[in-house]
């Protein structure tokens, strides 16, 4: 799939933007702070209903305005659709496809993109929550139904935690234990579904990550992924360093729920003491390894960077394989400035066969020539004519 036209109204620093995009590479060039990232962020929002920079939609509405519009004409196999979302300060966001209102959360079904930005270094070096979010976003892009499972799990988890807290504060009562067992079953049912889906995803991603890493880094450092499952952990330890040592493994789908129940029984005392749920997908992690060592804490800056990029390229590869609407649009925000000459060339080769790639750069010369076929100059929230 490609975006053939993008229209923005009052989005970030764009009062209004109307721009044609092409198949293949599109390069947005401009000094810092001109609106390059804003532009690609708008397309990221259309495919994920979120931003890679902020968790709050308000920041994306132009200062002093009440609403912003992102509208994209999408094309695949000769068919075009018009997808649009309106972000509103004071009311719910609204979405349309071909000018017909749809539920906003349905929007990602129509458009998928994969964005890589310097912030993604946190995938390798940051907290497990970022890696869980990466996995879950990909799960939803692949299988939209999973967004319901995720939301239900979160809700059950909150309610179970509330009950554990109140039991901690006022001593456990007989009837609370009964209620807890009901929540346990729901937690296990939804959590097992999530664990199974994430495990299948890890199995699919792992070989793609290994080959993407080798492709960008130019070396086969045996990049590997495993699933850390908190339900297999021996202690309910908060220390993530431990994630590398224990409980990384694959569980046959049929055994997940049983292991989950066993973990909850084992942790009952500790959960009542602490007033929180100590095992489940909300405490799992994606363990990243290079040459058998955890990337987090061992990998150099350059290696961490290549790993984060490999994760994104691998997710694009998985999405393109399964999609009925062609490739996801690949977005590389400010990536080339960080790479040396040879890595730039390898990255250009790795992304060259995607249907559409959107690239931003402050310095034109940082981007390999083969990706500079269509160049758009951005200044202060406007496209300026090339001279
Ligand atoms: N909601 C907003 N309203 C108006 N301007 C905004 C808004 N959000 C960000 N900006 C402006 O957008 C600019 C940053 O644009 P950005 O796309 O990040 O730059 P770059 O070209 O370096 O990627 C800053 O000048 C910032 O003040
Ligand atoms: Mg930027």
């Amino acid at each position: 799939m490609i975006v053939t036209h993008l229209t923005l109204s009052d989005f970030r620093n764009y009062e209004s933007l109307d721009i044609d995009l092409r198949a293949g590479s599109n390069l947005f060039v401009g000094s810092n702070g001109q609106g390059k990232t804003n532009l690609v962020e708008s397309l990221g929002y259309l495919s994920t209903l979120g931003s890679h920079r902020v968790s709050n939609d308000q920041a994306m509405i132009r200062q002093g305005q009440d609403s912003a519009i992102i509208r994209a004409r999408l094309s695949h196999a000769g068919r075009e659709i018009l997808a649009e979302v309106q972000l509103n300060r004071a009311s719910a966001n609204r979405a349309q496809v071909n000018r017909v209102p749809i539920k906003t959360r349905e929007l990602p079904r129509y458009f998928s993109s994969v964005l890589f930005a310097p912030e993604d270094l946190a995938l390798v070096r940051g907290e497990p929550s970022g890696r869980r979010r990466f996995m879950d976003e990909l799960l939803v892009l692949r299988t939209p139904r999973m967004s319901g499972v995720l939301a239900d799990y979160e809700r059950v988890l909150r309610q179970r935690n509330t009950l554990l807290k109140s039991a901690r504060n006022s001593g456990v009562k007989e009837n609370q234990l009964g209620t807890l067992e009901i929540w346990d079953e729901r937690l296990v049912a939804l959590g097992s579904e999530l664990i199974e889906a994430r495990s299948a995803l890890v199995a699919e991603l792992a070989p793609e990550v290994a080959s993407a890493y080798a492709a960008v880094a130019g070396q086969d450092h045996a990049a590997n992924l495993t699933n850390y499952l908190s339900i297999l952990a021996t202690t309910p330890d908060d220390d993530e360093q431990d994630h590398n040592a224990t409980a990384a493994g694959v569980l046959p789908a049929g055994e997940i729920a049983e292991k989950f129940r066993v973990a909850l029984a084992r942790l009952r005392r500790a959960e009542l003491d602490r007033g929180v749920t100590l095992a489940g997908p909300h405490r799992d992690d994606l363990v990243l390894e290079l040459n058998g060592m955890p990337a987090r804490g061992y990998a150099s800056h350059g290696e961490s960077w290549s790993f984060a990029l490999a994760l994104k390229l691998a997710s694009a590869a998985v999405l393109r394989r399964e999609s009925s609407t062609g490739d996801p649009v690949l977005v590389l925000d400010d990536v080339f400035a960080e790479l040396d000459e040879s890595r730039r060339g390898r990255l250009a080769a790795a992304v060259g066969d995607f249907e559409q790639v959107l690239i931003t750069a402050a310095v034109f010369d940082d981007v390999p020539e083969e990706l500079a076929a269509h160049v758009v100059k951005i200044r202060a929230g406007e496209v300026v004519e090339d001279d």
Side-chain angles (χ1 to χ4, degrees), residues 12-13 31-38 53 59 61-63:
R12 294 279 195 188
N13 67 336
S31 314
N32 287 326
Q34 301 304 305
K36 305 180 299 293
T37 298
N38 294 345
R53 296 197 289 190
I61 301 170
R62 195 161 74 95
Q63 197 170 37

Side-chain angles (χ1 to χ4, degrees), residues 1 24 64 94 120 138 141 211-212 221 231 247 334 339 343 347:
M1 167 168 299
R94 278 198 279 215
D120 288 319
L138 188 54
L141 279 175
S211 66
H221 275 166
I231 59 171
D334 253 339
L339 301 176
R343 281 179 193 228
L347 178 58

Side-chain angles (χ1 to χ4, degrees), residues 165-176:
K165 258 188 215 84
S166 88
R168 179 184 61 171
N169 294 337
S170 56
V172 195
K173 299 184 188 71
E174 250 340 286
N175 65 334
Q176 283 183 321

